[in-house]
Amino acid sequence: MSEGTMKVVNTVKLLAGITDNEQDDVILALEEMTRNQLSMMVDETSVPPPLEAVVLPVTLARFNRLGNEGMQSYSQEGESITYPASDFNEYADVIERYNTERKRGRIVFFNEDKAGA
């Protein structure tokens, strides 16, 4: 397990008040899902360093929502919770800025000889 992964697991456990290792596999699965989805969003094979800070809060949000996946809102005994459409909504600006900066300065050449073929 990487140092970054252990940091995510330990921080989620700390913030959720977990003192044992019984939920480690669940947290690891959520972190892996978060990393995979974020990587796909930026068309990379892994989460780039500038976006590492997004992994922990999204993993924590997903952990806190366990049992309510797919719901847009939840109400019980006067308590009401509304969930965003995507766990990444809060970080959309950061992700978009990364995508824009990554593409800045890229030169694309087109081969005109093959265009008419």
Side-chain angles (χ1 to χ4, degrees):
M1 216 178 300
S2 74
E3 183 179 326
T5 295
M6 283 311 302
K7 181 179 179 183
V8 169
V9 170
N10 290 333
T11 303
V12 169
K13 287 169 61 172
L14 175 69
L15 295 173
I18 299 170
T19 57
D20 57 34
N21 297 331
E22 290 184 28
Q23 305 238 19
D24 286 11
D25 288 342
V26 172
I27 298 168
L28 286 168
L30 292 170
E31 187 220 7
E32 181 180 4
M33 290 168 53
T34 300
R35 287 183 177 282
N36 290 342
Q37 188 173 1
L38 183 54
S39 297
M40 287 187 299
M41 291 171 76
V42 296
D43 197 26
E44 298 277 354
T45 57
S46 63
V47 175
L51 297 178
E52 274 293 329
V54 174
V55 175
L56 173 61
V58 172
T59 302
L60 179 61
R62 288 176 167 185
F63 180 80
N64 287 333
R65 195 177 63 220
L66 283 174
N68 297 323
E69 297 91 318
M71 292 185 182
Q72 292 181 344
S73 63
Y74 170 81
S75 295
Q76 181 178 345
E77 298 180 12
E79 177 185 20
S80 180
I81 301 171
T82 302
Y83 300 112
S86 169
D87 296 314
F88 294 95
N89 279 359
E90 187 175 340
Y91 307 98
D93 290 343
V94 174
I95 295 165
E96 181 58 33
R97 186 171 51 240
Y98 172 80
N99 279 330
T100 300
E101 290 294 321
R102 184 173 57 118
K103 293 175 184 170
R104 184 174 289 167
R106 184 180 280 181
I107 298 174
V108 178
F109 294 97
F110 294 96
N111 186 341
E112 290 184 25
D113 293 336
K114 292 185 180 180

